[in-house]
Amino acid sequence: MAEIYQKEIKLSDYRKEDLIKFYREMVKIRKFDEHLIRLMHEGKVSGFYHSGIGSESVSVGSITNILRDEDYIFYNHRGCNQKIAKGVPLSKIYGDFLGTVEGTTRGLGAGIVHSADPSRGVLGQCGTIGSQFNIVVGTAYSAKLRGTDQVSVCYFGDGAASREPLHGSLNWAGLYKLPVVYICENNGYAISSTFEETHSVREHLADWAWGYGIPSCVVDGNDVLLMQEVVKEAVERAKLGEGPTFIEAQTFRHRGHFEGDAYDYVDKAVLNDWKENRDPIKSFKKKLLENQYCTENDLLNVDEEVEYEIHAAIKVAENAPLPEPNRIFEGLYA
Ligand SMILES: Cc1ncc(C[n+]2csc(CCOP(=O)(O)OP(=O)(O)O)c2C)c(N)n1
């Protein structure tokens, strides 16, 4: 059965600049999201947005300082967190939401849906929930055939894990020892259905992986340093040709499934507990301050710098023009 990943981590095992970087990246993701929601309220961005607030540590912990541009990531609707951690410029992500030519789609818009940045290993959102399970086998198998040490990281929710392609993917990745790291962001809900209502496995999703010969574990996804440790080990295994790893990162979403969801199916006390006591940014900040790795002022400066960066990115995205009408025909082959 899957182990609960635990490790004594000393802050002194990390360079101070890296600890601040983890904090900065998490704040960047949170502020990106908060400003995007503001733009929606101002009527500048339309559509259906799935906020990633509350799980920033899963992405920063698994990407920052670990994955390289040539490593691939796959995600569904809640993937802005991962794109930002992978280094896609904020102005380009905002551009895709605002529909200007600054976006990665150069004006096709549609938010996260068609956005991609292959130069950073971001091949685009896997629209159908769970479609990444098939695609990741392809990129990982291709890396293996080409003899590179590229790693493919497959993010998915617990809801996606109730779909059958997960099992085909685990079978092939396990059989061919493919360089895949599966990271399940288990926030307990698929829209409003609970984990218990949609899975036959009773204890941990990670238990399934053992049936396919894949080592797996359950980890507190809201602890950015635990995420760093567990993912570093998994990526190392993948690079050495030792095959896939399955990590179930336990987390929670602070907001509803999408902006506009009343979120009344979640117990208020549970939600408050996650917000107050298990918020990944608050807890990491507390750890840094208690261990005197920095002062309150140092972190306020980081917050301000990020705020400035976000405003600058929005300005670039907003000031870019809308596409010319013929943009719609580029890349159209049939
Ligand atoms: C095949 C398929 N079924 C249903 C949907 C509609 N849908 C979009 S998100 C979602 C819930 C996904 O839950 P989970 O994977 O746990 O991710 P979370 O939203 O909790 O981050 C569903 C059912 C879809 N996009 N694709």
Side-chain angles (χ1 to χ4, degrees), residues 22-289:
F22 300 148
Y23 176 79
R24 178 185 296 273
E25 289 296 297
M26 289 197 288
V27 170
K28 192 189 288 181
I29 292 173
R30 171 123 352 150
K31 283 184 182 285
F32 163 86
D33 216 301
E34 289 170 347
H35 280 283
L36 186 67
I37 293 167
R38 170 181 63 77
L39 291 171
M40 293 179 89
H41 288 215
E42 289 171 5
K44 294 179 178 165
V45 166
S46 63
F48 204 43
Y49 183 61
H50 303 85
S51 163
I53 293 182
S55 307
E56 296 86 348
S57 45
V58 177
S59 305
V60 173
S62 59
I63 295 175
T64 308
N65 285 5
I66 298 180
L67 298 187
R68 308 153 297 177
D69 283 347
E70 60 269 34
D71 295 319
Y72 299 113
I73 59 165
F74 298 95
Y75 50 83
N76 288 132
H77 50 293
R78 223 175 286 287
C80 281
N81 291 18
Q82 282 109 45
K83 286 170 62 175
I84 296 171
K86 198 74 167 59
V88 181
L90 293 172
S91 62
K92 297 207 168 291
I93 306 180
Y94 279 122
D96 282 324
F97 281 96
L98 289 157
T100 63
V101 299
E102 174 64 14
T104 64
T105 60
R106 291 183 297 106
L108 294 184
I112 188 175
V113 180
H114 301 301
S115 167
D117 189 346
S119 67
R120 293 184 174 82
V122 179
L123 302 187
Q125 180 191 342
C126 301
T128 309
I129 297 293
S131 53
Q132 66 270 49
F133 296 131
N134 298 325
I135 302 168
V136 76
V137 169
T139 56
Y141 195 48
S142 138
K144 188 170 171 128
L145 288 179
R146 286 180 287 115
T148 75
D149 70 349
Q150 288 167 288
V151 178
S152 297
V153 182
C154 180
Y155 295 90
F156 54 99
D158 45 294
S162 68
R163 295 209 59 225
E164 62 288 357
L166 171 64
H167 299 276
S169 182
L170 293 177
N171 183 46
W172 290 109
L175 177 65
Y176 290 116
K177 292 206 175 308
L178 298 181
V180 182
V181 181
Y182 294 92
I183 301 185
C184 176
E185 280 201 18
N186 186 352
N187 58 27
Y189 288 88
I191 308 189
S192 56
S193 314
T194 63
F195 175 80
E196 292 73 21
E197 285 169 327
T198 47
H199 297 82
S200 63
V201 68
R202 286 278 56 98
E203 189 130 25
H204 298 298
L205 265 173
D207 292 340
W208 271 343
W210 285 97
Y212 299 97
I214 298 177
S216 70
C217 65
V218 181
V219 63
D220 177 359
N222 279 16
D223 183 328
V224 71
L225 297 184
L226 262 188
M227 280 303 295
Q228 278 274 315
E229 294 297 316
V230 72
V231 175
K232 268 193 282 190
E233 288 172 23
V235 165
E236 207 45 41
R237 289 190 65 244
K239 284 183 180 167
L240 292 171
E242 291 172 11
T245 307
F246 187 115
I247 297 166
E248 177 183 339
Q250 294 184 327
T251 185
F252 211 74
R253 48 177 159 81
H254 286 192
R255 302 181 69 85
H257 175 70
F258 62 97
E259 286 310 300
D261 174 5
Y263 209 19
D264 48 8
Y265 43 88
V266 165
D267 186 319
K268 293 282 169 291
V270 172
L271 178 59
N272 273 342
D273 182 46
W274 279 89
K275 283 185 175 179
E276 290 309 314
N277 307 317
R278 302 185 66 181
D279 178 306
I281 303 180
K282 271 190 202 163
S283 346
F284 190 54
K285 180 175 177 174
K286 192 163 167 246
K287 204 177 273 182
L288 291 177
L289 293 176

